[in-house]
Amino acid sequence: MKRVLTLLFLLVGVGEMGILTARAQQVTVAADGSGEFRTIQAALNSLPNEAAKPRTVYIKNGTYREKVLLDGKQNIIIKGQSEKGVVLTYSQARDAWRCDPAGGPDDFGAATLNLRNSPDITLENLTVLNPYGFEAAGDVLIPCPQEPGGQRKVGKTGHQMALRTMPGTTRLTVKHCTFRALGGDTVSPWDVDAGLYYFQDCTMEGGVDFYCPRGWAYAENCLFICHNPNAAIWHDGSGEEDQKTVLKNCRFEGDPNFKLGRFHREAQFYLINCRFAKEMADADIYWAESGPGAKQWGRRVYYAGCHREGGDYAWFQDNLSTAKGSPTARQVSADWTFGGRWYPKSKRPATVPLKAAAPGPDKYAGLPRQTLVAAETGTAALPNATAAALAAPLRDSVADRMLVYQRAVGGWPKAVNEVKVKYDHPLTAAERAAARAVTSKPDATIDNDATTREIRYLAGAFATTRNPAYLAAAEKGVRYLLQMQYPNGGFPQYYPDLSSYRHQITYNDDAMIRALQVLRDVSRRANGLEVLDATLAEPAQQAVNRGIECILKTQYVQNGTLTAWCAQHDEKTLLPVKARAFELASLSGMETVNIVRFLMDTENPTPAIKKSIEAAVAWLEAVKLSGFAVKDQPDPKQPKGFDRVMVPEAGSVIWARFYDLKANRPIYVGRDSQPRPALADIEYERRTGYAYAGVWPAKLLSRDYPRWQQKWNSNAPQGRNN
C-alpha cells in the first residue's frame, strides 16, 4: 500500500510538473536568428495543440514578412517585445486570395494573421499590417478560374484583412496592438455563434467596416482611423439577442465625411464616452439596405457621454436608458458585455454556457464576390454612371502620407522630433495619429526641399489619379508660399516660426529659389503645375516679380562692384548675416549658382537683371581656385575611416562655399565660428560633414551662361565655350 501511495504521489508530482512546464513554456522568435525560431509560424507549429495553461510565443523586435495561420491550437499568448517594434506584414487582397487555388471561397488565409478553431488566444504588443492598398498603384485584373470570364478585378481599396478569426476562435484577448490596412474588414473577428472578443489600447485603421466583429465584442481605449466614407465600424449580432459590440473611451478619426458605422444584419451597438474627430459626417449608425437587415429585435444603437470636436450632433445624444435593463455608463464594462459567458477583466469562471461555434467553413464565405466588393464601395445598386461617379478616387501611397504631414498653415515640416520626414515607407497607425495630432505645429519650412517637393509631387499624383485631395493639398501649399513671402520679396526659412535665424531671407541650400521656381511654374502653368487652380497664376507671377526685386537688391556690392549673394540676408537691411555657427556672413560660391540660373530663366530680362547676371558670373570667374581638388582619402585613424582634404591637381577647378566680404578670400568655419584660411584648419566633424568646397559653378560657366549670353546679351564679351 505504501508503494502504491508513493507511486500515486509521484504521478501527481509529474502531472503538476507538466502543468507548471506548460505554464512556463515560452519559445522565442527573432528575425536576426538570436531566438529559437526565425519566423512566427515556425514557433507556433512547434507547440502542441492542447495545453492546460497558456504557452507564450515571445517575438523580439523586427519585421516579419509572413502570413501566419493558427489552426486548432489553444491557450497561446503571442506577445511582442514592443507594439511598434514587432511588425508582422503580408500584402494580400481578399479577392486575390479567393482566386488563388490555395485559397478559394474560404477566408482562412486571406489575412496577415489568421486564426481558426483556436480558443483562448492572447495577442499583445504587435503591429499587424496588410499593406496591399498602400502599395498597389490601382485596380488590376488577375486570372481567376472562378469567374465566368476567367479574370477578376482586384481593387486597391477592396477587402484587405490584417486580422481574421474564424469559427472556433473565442475568448480572444488583444492588447496594445495596431492593425492597419487601406481596404475594408481590417479587423474581422467572425464567429456569429460563439465569438467573444476583448480589445484594449489598440489602433485599428482601414476602409469600410474595418472593425467588424460578429458575436460579442468589447473595445476600450482604442483608436479607429477610417479611410472610407461609408462606415468605420460594423456589427453582426444575429446569433442571439444579447450579442453586442461595445466601444468605451474610444476615439474615431478619418478622412473627411467618414460615417461612424452601419449594419447588414441584427446588431447592437454601445458607444460610451467616445470622442469623434470633426471630420466625422453628420450620419448616425445605419442599416445598410444591401443586407437582410434587422427584423427581430429592431434598431439597437446606444450612446452615452460621446462628443465631437467642433460640436456634437443630435443623433449621439445620451440614450443609454432606452437599452434593455437601462444600464448606466459605469455598468457597461467588459464583464457586463459578455453576460456571464466570459470574464476577461475579473477572470472569474463563466457562469453562462457558451453555445458552440457552428462547425464547418464560414457560412458567410459563399456570398457572391461581386456583392461583397460592391458593398465595400457602397455602389452595389446604382446605375453604372452613378456608380462610377461615386467610386472612390485612386490613391497614391506617397501622396497619402504627404497629406498626413501637411500642416494647417499649408506647408510641410522637414523633420518631426528631429527625425527626417520620409515618404518611402508605410506609416504605422501610431505614426499617422501622432502626425495628425500636431498639424497646428509652426514647423512648416522650405528648407531641405520641404513644401516645394510635396507641392510638385501632389500635383503629379493628382494628374495621375484625379484624386481631389491631392490637388487641394498642392494648392494649399502654393498659398502657403504666397503667404510666407515678405513684402520685399524675400522668403524666410520657416513660417510661421520666425525664431532664431529662421526669419532671415534664406538662399541657403536654394530654399528661396526653389519656392520661386514653383511659383514661376504656377504662373506659367507649366512643368506639371498647370493642373492647379488657374486663379493662382496671377498672384504667383506677382510673387515672382517681388522675388526678383529682392534678389537684385540683396546682391552684395563690394567696394562699389556687384558680386554675389550670401546664403542668408537680413529681411530688413537686406545685408548678409550669420545663420548657424559655421555659416557666417559671407559670399557663397554655391547658392549664387542657382540664383543666377533662376535669373537667366526670366522672359525678356530687364537691363538690371542682365547686369546682375553678368556681375555674378564675373565674380565666380574671379574667385575660382585653379589647380586644386577636394578628395576623401582613406585614413583608418579617423572616426569615419577617411579624411577630406584639399590637394593640388593640375587642370582641376573648384570654388569655396564661403568667401569673406572684404577681399573674396575663401574661409572655412567650424562650430567655433572662427574663419580659417584652410579646410584642414577646422574640426574633423565639420570638415567631413559639410560641403566647404565644390564644382557647383562649372556647368553654369561652361554651358548655361554662354547659351543665355548668345540669346540675350550678344554684345557682351564671349570668350567662353558652349
Side-chain angles (χ1 to χ4, degrees):
M1 183 67 179
K2 184 176 180 181
R3 291 183 62 189
V4 172
L5 289 174
T6 302
L7 180 59
L8 287 173
F9 283 132
L10 287 172
L11 289 173
V12 170
V14 170
E16 290 179 347
M17 287 176 63
I19 292 173
L20 289 173
T21 301
R23 179 187 305 168
Q25 183 177 2
Q26 175 173 302
V27 295
T28 301
V29 182
D32 61 5
S34 61
E36 297 154 88
F37 300 93
R38 287 183 178 270
T39 68
I40 301 170
Q41 189 67 61
L44 291 171
N45 292 346
S46 74
L47 300 177
N49 287 359
E50 298 181 1
K53 299 293 180 181
R55 292 77 53 80
T56 298
V57 174
Y58 180 74
I59 309 171
K60 291 186 177 181
N61 286 343
T63 298
Y64 299 85
R65 303 184 186 279
E66 55 178 309
K67 178 187 293 188
V68 174
L69 298 95
L70 183 62
D71 192 11
K73 295 179 184 285
Q74 61 177 308
N75 283 336
I76 297 177
I77 300 171
I78 304 176
K79 184 175 183 178
Q81 183 177 351
S82 67
E83 181 177 352
K84 289 185 177 181
V86 176
V87 179
L88 172 61
T89 179
Y90 191 89
S91 178
Q92 178 145 54
R94 183 197 198 192
D95 286 341
W97 175 248
R98 290 189 163 200
C99 291
D100 191 325
D106 195 331
D107 275 344
F108 188 64
T112 303
L113 178 56
N114 306 267
L115 289 77
R116 181 173 65 183
N117 297 320
S118 298
D120 299 304
I121 303 298
T122 295
L123 309 176
E124 189 171 353
N125 297 341
L126 305 171
T127 291
V128 183
L129 307 178
N130 186 337
Y132 178 83
F134 297 108
E135 298 172 348
D139 298 347
V140 296
L141 283 174
I142 64 170
C144 190
Q146 296 91 328
E147 292 294 331
Q151 288 186 315
R152 172 80 171 147
K153 181 180 179 181
V154 178
K156 179 181 174 69
T157 56
H159 290 88
Q160 298 155 32
M161 299 169 173
L163 172 66
R164 174 72 162 92
T165 76
M166 299 186 71
T169 299
T170 188
R171 296 183 297 275
L172 173 68
T173 299
V174 186
K175 297 181 178 180
H176 302 287
C177 289
T178 293
F179 302 98
R180 186 168 180 264
L182 180 63
D185 293 13
T186 305
V187 177
S188 304
W190 279 13
D191 185 342
V192 76
D193 297 302
L196 302 172
Y197 313 109
Y198 172 69
F199 293 85
Q200 176 189 326
D201 298 311
C202 293
T203 297
M204 305 180 215
E205 180 178 6
V208 66
D209 306 335
F210 68 88
Y211 175 61
C212 52
R214 299 184 190 269
W216 292 266
Y218 181 88
E220 63 178 345
N221 303 324
C222 292
L223 171 64
F224 297 87
I225 305 171
C226 184
H227 297 304
N228 185 286
N230 290 304
I233 60 175
W234 182 94
H235 180 237
D236 177 5
S238 59
E240 57 183 272
E241 186 176 2
D242 185 59
Q243 290 180 341
K244 58 181 71 74
T245 181
V246 176
L247 301 102
K248 192 167 187 178
N249 301 325
C250 293
R251 174 160 179 80
F252 290 81
E253 299 178 355
D255 296 346
N257 295 315
F258 76 91
K259 294 184 180 70
L260 178 58
R262 66 179 182 173
F263 55 101
H264 289 76
R265 298 172 181 83
E266 301 287 353
Q268 188 172 192
F269 295 84
Y270 289 81
L271 286 93
I272 312 298
N273 299 331
C274 291
R275 296 294 179 267
F276 308 125
K278 63 180 182 298
E279 288 82 6
M280 188 179 73
D282 187 0
D284 199 355
I285 294 175
Y286 64 99
W287 165 30
E289 295 184 5
S290 57
K295 295 183 175 68
Q296 302 178 68
W297 305 309
R299 175 182 170 82
R300 298 177 297 167
V301 180
Y302 308 108
Y303 302 95
C306 296
H307 296 286
R308 170 184 170 271
E309 294 175 0
D312 294 346
Y313 296 136
W315 50 264
F316 59 77
Q317 64 184 349
D318 293 3
N319 68 339
L320 191 56
S321 61
T322 65
K324 184 177 180 179
S326 300
T328 65
R330 177 172 291 185
Q331 287 175 317
V332 179
S333 64
D335 289 351
W336 173 88
T337 297
F338 300 108
R341 298 167 183 83
W342 184 35
Y343 292 90
K345 297 281 282 191
S346 63
K347 306 300 182 184
R348 292 167 52 196
T351 56
V352 174
L354 181 66
K355 183 171 64 174
D362 179 6
K363 60 185 177 182
Y364 297 108
L367 289 175
R369 290 183 296 278
Q370 291 292 353
T371 300
L372 288 172
V373 173
E376 175 179 331
T377 59
T379 60
L382 297 175
N384 290 339
T386 306
L390 295 179
L394 295 176
R395 308 298 290 262
D396 179 298
S397 61
V398 171
D400 283 341
R401 293 171 203 138
M402 289 179 174
L403 298 185
V404 170
Y405 281 105
Q406 188 173 26
R407 298 312 193 211
V409 72
W412 280 265
K414 68 176 182 179
V416 176
N417 296 326
E418 299 185 359
V419 177
K420 183 180 179 182
V421 173
K422 295 181 179 180
Y423 299 113
D424 57 355
H425 73 282
L427 292 174
T428 66
E431 290 171 334
R432 186 179 295 270
R436 285 175 169 157
V438 293
T439 55
S440 61
K441 194 173 182 180
D443 59 349
T445 181
I446 56 172
D447 191 31
N448 289 9
D449 290 328
T451 299
T452 52
R453 166 187 55 186
E454 286 84 356
I455 290 171
R456 291 191 182 278
Y457 188 93
L458 286 164
F462 170 73
T464 301
T465 67
R466 312 310 293 180
N467 190 321
Y470 305 154
L471 179 64
E475 290 173 348
K476 187 175 181 180
V478 171
R479 293 186 177 95
Y480 167 77
L481 296 180
L482 295 172
Q483 183 181 7
M484 77 181 300
Q485 187 181 31
Y486 289 133
N488 63 14
F491 283 78
Q493 189 181 62
Y494 282 73
Y495 179 82
D497 181 5
L498 300 177
S499 61
S500 185
Y501 57 83
R502 295 179 173 184
H503 62 90
Q504 297 167 357
I505 293 172
T506 304
Y507 296 121
N508 191 40
D509 291 330
D510 301 325
M512 175 170 159
I513 295 304
R514 280 195 303 270
L516 287 173
Q517 285 171 334
V518 165
L519 292 172
R520 176 172 273 171
D521 285 340
V522 171
S523 71
R524 292 176 176 175
R525 301 187 61 73
N527 294 327
L529 300 186
E530 61 273 12
V531 299
L532 303 187
D533 186 348
T535 62
L536 291 171
E538 180 57 30
Q541 182 58 59
Q542 294 174 5
V544 171
N545 293 341
R546 289 192 297 270
I548 291 174
E549 288 300 313
C550 180
I551 290 172
L552 298 180
K553 290 178 180 178
T554 50
Q555 190 170 14
Y556 188 67
V557 179
Q558 184 187 79
N559 300 322
T561 301
L562 275 179
T563 57
W565 291 266
C566 181
Q568 47 279 320
H569 289 250
D570 185 274
E571 74 275 16
K572 295 179 181 178
T573 68
L574 304 185
L575 293 174
V577 288
K578 175 184 175 183
R580 289 179 288 186
F582 48 90
E583 294 169 336
L584 303 184
S586 56
L587 298 180
S588 173
M590 187 180 93
E591 279 76 15
T592 292
V593 173
N594 281 333
I595 295 174
V596 171
R597 284 199 173 106
F598 180 78
L599 292 176
M600 290 196 305
D601 188 36
T602 305
E603 297 171 349
N604 299 314
T606 64
I609 292 174
K610 294 179 181 179
K611 179 180 178 182
S612 174
I613 293 170
E614 295 288 357
V617 167
W619 181 84
L620 288 170
E621 287 281 13
V623 300
K624 63 185 179 184
L625 306 175
S626 300
F628 291 94
V630 175
K631 295 185 177 181
D632 290 342
Q633 291 187 342
D635 187 344
K637 297 180 181 179
Q638 298 294 352
K640 299 179 183 179
F642 72 91
D643 199 0
R644 184 165 295 162
V645 296
M646 188 176 295
V647 296
E649 184 173 289
S652 178
V653 177
I654 60 174
W655 285 260
R657 178 77 173 266
F658 304 124
Y659 293 84
D660 73 29
L661 295 172
K662 294 182 178 180
N664 295 326
R665 289 189 297 262
I667 57 174
Y668 305 91
V669 187
R671 294 191 182 276
D672 62 359
S673 293
Q674 297 301 311
R676 291 181 169 83
L679 180 62
D681 294 338
I682 61 174
E683 67 270 26
Y684 177 81
E685 180 270 331
R686 283 293 77 198
R687 189 164 70 241
T688 58
Y690 193 80
Y692 286 93
V695 295
W696 311 291
K699 289 184 179 179
L700 172 71
L701 299 180
S702 64
R703 183 192 63 188
D704 302 336
Y705 171 70
R707 292 175 180 172
W708 175 87
Q709 189 182 47
Q710 289 176 0
K711 182 177 181 180
W712 295 109
N713 217 12
S714 57
N715 293 327
Q718 300 295 308
R720 294 183 182 88
N721 297 323
N722 286 329

